[in-house]
Amino acid sequence: METLSGIIDNYYYMVAIILFVIGMYTMLTHSNLIKKVIAMNIMDASVFLMFVAVGYAHGSQAPIIREGADVFYANPLPGALILTGIVVAVSVTAYALSLVVKIYRYYETCDYDEICEIRSRE
Amino acid sequence: MGESTVIAILITIVGFPIIMTPVIMYSCRISDKLRNILVIITSAIAFGLSLSLYPFVIGGGEIQFTLFEVLPNLEISLRLDLLSFCLAILASFIWFLCAIYSLDYMAKEHACGRYYPVFIFTLGSCQGIFFAGDLFSLFVFFELMSLIAYILVIHEETEEALKAGYKYLVMTIIGGLALFFGMIIIFEIGGTVSLGVGVIVQENSLLAFIAFICFLIGFGMKAGMFPLHVWLPDAHPVAPSPASALLSGIMLKTGAYGLIRVIFHVFSPELMQSGGWDTVMGVLAVITILLGSAVALTQSDIKRRLAYSSISQLGYVLLGLSILNENAIIGAVFHIFSHAFMKSVLFLAAGAIIWNTGKRQIADLQGIGRQMPITLGCFSIAAFAMIGIPPLNGFLSKWTLALGALDANMAIYVFVLLVSSLLNALYYLPIIIPGYFEMPGGGGAGHGHEHDQEEHHEIKFDIKEAAPLMLAVMIVLALCTFIFGLTPNNVAFNLSRLTAEYLLMGGF
Amino acid sequence: MGLSEHFPALIIAVFLAAAFLSPLIYRWARYLSAAYLVATLVAAFGMVIALLIQVQQGGPVYYHMGGWPPPWGIEFKADPLRLYVLLVVIGVSLWVFIYALRDLQHELKKALIGWYYTLFAVLVGSMAGIALTNDLFNLFVLMEICAISACAIISIKEDRECLEASFKYLIMSAMGTGCFLLGVVMLYMVTGYLNYSFMQAELVEAFNYYPRNIFTAAALFIVAFGTKAALFPLHVWLPDAHASAPSPSSAMLSGVVIKIYAFGLFLMFYEVFPPELLRTIPLNEIVLWLASLGALFGSVYAMLQSDLKKMLAFSSIGQIAYIFMGIGFHHDLAMVGGFYHLMVHAVTKAMLFMAAGVIIYSTGIRKIEDLAGIGRVLPVTMIAFSIGSASMVGLPGTGGLISKWFLALSALEIGRPIFVLVILASSLLNAVYYMPIVINAFMHHNEFGNNFKPVPRVMKICMIVGMIFVVISGFYTTPVVNLLEQAAELFF
C-alpha cells in the first residue's frame, strides 16, 4: 500500500524513469539511425524532467524575488542546470544528425543493420 | 684491493660489453677485421677483469653494492661473492674462447653484422646476471639476456630456426612471468628481494611454496628441467655452433645459478628440507637425468643428441642442489664448471665437423676421424669426460655427487648416476668409434662402395682439418677437462669447495 | 602575481580561446595557427607545473569561478593527483600535436586542418576541465564537450568507416551521459548540492536515510564512466572508433581520452561517495572483475585481428582494464599502480599509434601480415614499436613492469593472488600478439620500393622521445611514485 501511494505521489519521477528506459532501449536496439538520435533526446529529456521535478516543492512560487517576507520559492538551481543541459543535448543532437546526413550520403541508407551488412561485404 | 676498485671493476665487467655493442655494430660498416678485433678485445677485457677479482674473492671478500633505487625497497644492486665469481669467470672464459672460435666459423656464415653485437651484448647481460645483487636485477638481466639470445637462436633464419625461436621466446616469456610472480610473493612476504640480507622467507607457508614453484618454473625452464625442457632440443641445434656452445655451456647455467641463489639466499636449506621441497626437486632432477639420456639415444642429428645430453647433465646439478649437503653442493658447482668445458668442446667439435663437411646426421659421420682426427680427438676426450672416465673432470664431479648422495643416505641417486653414465656411453661411443674405425661414407648411401673395394684394408688419413683458430680453442678446452680432473687439487675444484662451504654457512 | 591565482581557470580558458581563434588565424596564416596551438599547449603545461609546485607546498588550491563561492558557484580544485593527471594529459597532447603537424596533411582534406586544430584545442581544454572541476554539473558539461570533440576528431577524416564508427561512439557515449545525468539527479535529490566536497559531507549522513538512491547513482556512474572508458562489456565502440580515426586522433583517444574517464570514476568513488558505500556494498568488486575480464578478453580479441590499428585498439581495452583494476582493488598500492599505468600507457599507446601512423604514412600498409621485413626500411619506427610492445608486455626496464609490480603487490596484500595470475596471463597474451609483429618486422625481407615515402624528422623525434620516456619510467620512478603515494594517503 505504501509503495503504491509512493508511486502515485511521485509520478513525475516514475514517468521520467519510464521515458529514460524507453529512450535507452530504443537507442540500443532499434536500427534506424534517426530513431537513435530521437531516443537520445527522449533519454536526455526524461532526465531533465526528473531534475526539474526534484526542484519543485508543493505550493511554491516561481523563483523571482518579490515583495513579502515569507515567500516560498521553488529551487531555481535545477532550472538553470536544465537550460545548460538542454543546450548540451541540442548540440549533441545537431552533431549526431550531421553525422547521419553524411552517413546517408555514403551508404544510401539510414538503417544500421544494412550499413553493417554493406561494411561486412567490403 | 679496495672495495671501490672492485665495484668499479664489477660495473665495468657488466657495462663495458653492453656499451661496446653499438660500437661493434657500427664497426661492421668500416671493416670486418676491425670488428673482429673489437670483439676479441672486449671479451678478453671481460675475462681479464673477472680474473683480476680472484685474489679479492679468495681472500674472503664479499661486496653488496646498491646502484640506485627503482622503488622503495627495490633496487638495482651488484654482488660479488664466491658463487658469482665462479660463474662469472667461467662464463667470460668460455665466451672469450667462443669469440675466437667464431672468427673462423662465422667467416662462412651470413649476417655477421648481427651476430657479433648480439654475442657481446649477451656476454654483458650474462655477467650482469651473475653479479646481480638482488632478485630484481637478476630478473632484469635474465630477461634481457634471454630475449637477446633469441636473435642468436634464429640466426640461420630457416623455417626450422624460426619455429624453434618462437617456442624459445614463448617459454622465455612464460618463465619470466613465473619469475615475476615468485619475486612479487617474496617481496610481499619478506619486504625485500635483496640477496644480501640473509634468508628472506623464514617460515613455510602456501604462499612461500607457490613462490618456490614459480622460481622452479622460471629458472628451471632456463636450465632445461623436466617438464619445461621442450624448447631446448629445438633451439640449441639450430643456432650457429659457437652460439650453441654458449647456450648449452653457460646460459643453461644461469638457470641453475638462479636456483642456487633462491635456495640459499631466499629460502634456507633447512626450510627446503622441512617443507619437503628438496624431494620435489630431487624427483624432477632424476626424471630430467634419465629422460635426457634416454631420448638422446634416439636422436640422429648430432647437435640434437648433444642438446638432450645437456638436459640430462643439468639434471646432475639439480640433483646436487636437491641433496643439500656439502659434498653434493661441491659436486653441483663443480659440475657446472666441468659441464661447461665438456659441452663446449662437444658443440664446438660438432660445429667444426658441420662447418667442414656439412654433415649433421650421425650416420654420415663414419670415418670422419680420418678427415679431422684432432677434432674428433677433442670430441672423444670430452665424451669420455661426460661418461665419467677418470682422470677427466666429469668423473670428479660424478664422484663428488655420489659421495654427497651417500652422505644423505640416498643410494638410489648413486644408482641413477651410474645408469646415466652408462646411457652417456651408449650414445657417445657410437659417434666416436665409427668415426675412427669405419670407412667414410659408409652410412645410408652406397656411393662409397667402389672405394671400399680398393681401400678397405688400409687406414688412410686424408686430413682436412678445421680452421686453426677453431682447433686451438677446442684443444684448449679439451685440455681444461683434463687439467681440472686430474687431481682434486685444482683451481675449479677448490673454488667449488670454498663456494659450497660459503653457501652452507648461510651465504655470508 | 595576480595572474597565477587564476591558473586553474586559465588552463581551460586558453584552450577555448585557441579553439575560437584557430580557424580565423588559419585562414590568413597557416603556419601561425599550428604554432599558436603549440604555444597554448606549452603555456598550459607551464601553468600546470606552476600550480603543482604551489600545491606541493601549500596544499590543495580551490578556485571559485567568477568569485562566487560554492555551493552557488562552480569550483575548481587543484590537488597533486589531479595535477598529475593534467600533466599527463597536456604533456601527451603536446607531444601528439607536434607529431600531428606533419601527419594531418596526409590524412585530412586541406580545408579541414584548421578545424582539426579547433577540435583538438576543445578536446584538450575539456579534458583539462574534467581533471580540475569540483562540481558535478560542470563535469557533465565538460564530459559532453569532450565527447563531441572526440567523436569529431574521428569523423573529420570523412570516409566511410570513420563516420559510422564515430556515430557509434557518439550514441554509446550519449547513453553513458544519460546514465550519468540520471545518477547526478539521484544524488542531487538526496543532498541538494552539486559540489564534490559539499556532496560528500552530505552523503555521509544521507547514506543512512537513502541508501538505495546512492547505490543506484553509483551503479549508473559505473555504467556511464565504463562506457566512455571502455570497461569490458561496454567497450564495443572502441575498436572501430580508434582504428578508423586519423593517427593523431587515435593516439589522443587511446592515450588520454579514455584515461580521463577512468579518472572520473575514481573521483566519483573516492571523492564524492562516502567511504561507507564501498564498505557496505563492494561496488569496486564489480569493477575489479569486469576489469579482469577486460584484461583477458581484450588481448584475446586483439590476437584475432588482422588490421594493425584495430589490434592496437583492442590492446587498449586490455590495458585500460589495468587502470580499472587499480581502482577496483580499494588499496593504496593499487591506486599507485593504476595511476602509474595511466601515465605509462598514455605515452606507450600514443607512441604505438604514432608508429602505426608512420607506417601508414610511409608505405600505406595497414594489415599486419604485410608488415614483414618493414624493420629494415623503418628502423626507428620499429624499434619504437618494439619498446612499446615490451612495455605493454611488462618486460623489466620499461614502465609497464612498475605498474604491474604495484598491482600484483596490492593483489597479494589484500590476499587475492588470483588477480596476480590474471595480470600475468594478460601479459602473456599481450606478448603472443605483439612479439610476432616485432619479429616479422626485423627478420624477413620484403620490397617496399614502390610508394615509400621517407619519414619526416619530426615524427622520428617524437618517437625517440617516447622511447626514452618509456625506458626512463621503468627505472626512475621516484618522483611520480612519491606523488602518488602521498595522494593515496588522502584516500585510504
Side-chain angles (χ1 to χ4, degrees), chain C residues 79-102:
Chain C
D79 69 10
L81 188 63
R82 290 163 186 253
L83 288 174
Y84 163 75
V85 175
L86 202 53
L87 215 57
V88 171
V89 167
I90 296 185
V92 172
S93 307
L94 176 61
W95 178 47
V96 172
F97 188 68
I98 295 179
Y99 166 82
L101 293 174
R102 281 304 297 268

Side-chain angles (χ1 to χ4, degrees), chain B residues 70-71 150 157 177 184 188, chain C residues 412-413 420 424 439 443 477:
Chain B
V70 176
L71 289 174
Y150 168 78
E157 286 187 35
L177 292 174
I184 273 274
E188 163 69 21
Chain C
L412 286 175
E413 289 251 344
V420 183
L424 293 179
I439 297 169
M443 284 305 137
T477 64

Side-chain angles (χ1 to χ4, degrees), chain C residues 161-230:
Chain C
E161 292 93 28
C162 71
L163 285 175
E164 187 254 329
S166 170
F167 187 78
K168 187 160 43 173
Y169 182 18
L170 189 64
I171 291 294
M172 296 287 297
S173 186
M175 183 191 88
T177 307
C179 294
F180 175 76
L181 207 50
L182 194 59
V184 170
V185 174
M186 296 281 180
L187 285 180
Y188 182 70
M189 274 203 286
V190 298
T191 59
Y193 292 119
L194 286 167
N195 185 304
Y196 292 179
S197 334
F198 280 84
M199 193 178 266
Q200 189 176 37
E202 271 300 315
L203 278 177
V204 173
E205 276 186 44
F207 188 61
N208 303 321
Y209 299 109
Y210 305 105
R212 287 209 201 99
N213 257 6
I214 301 174
F215 177 43
T216 317
L220 286 166
F221 281 165
I222 293 181
V223 171
F225 285 106
T227 314
K228 288 168 180 282

Side-chain angles (χ1 to χ4, degrees), chain B residues 68 70-71 74 76 114 136 139-140 143 147 150 154 157 169 173-174 177 180-181 183-185 187-188, chain C residues 395-396 401-402 404-406 408-409 412-413 420-421 424 427-428 431 435 439 443 445 474-475 477 481:
Chain B
F68 61 90
V70 176
L71 289 174
L74 192 70
I76 305 272
R114 187 175 66 198
F136 184 69
F139 176 58
V140 171
E143 287 292 287
L147 291 174
Y150 168 78
I154 59 166
E157 286 187 35
L169 198 60
I173 292 183
I174 295 180
L177 292 174
F180 177 75
F181 195 9
M183 206 164 53
I184 273 274
I185 296 181
F187 189 77
E188 163 69 21
Chain C
L395 291 177
L401 180 76
I402 305 291
K404 290 197 175 125
W405 177 271
F406 275 112
L409 200 57
L412 286 175
E413 289 251 344
V420 183
L421 283 178
L424 293 179
S427 298
L428 179 62
M435 291 295 152
I439 297 169
M443 284 305 137
H445 296 269
F475 288 110
T477 64
V481 170

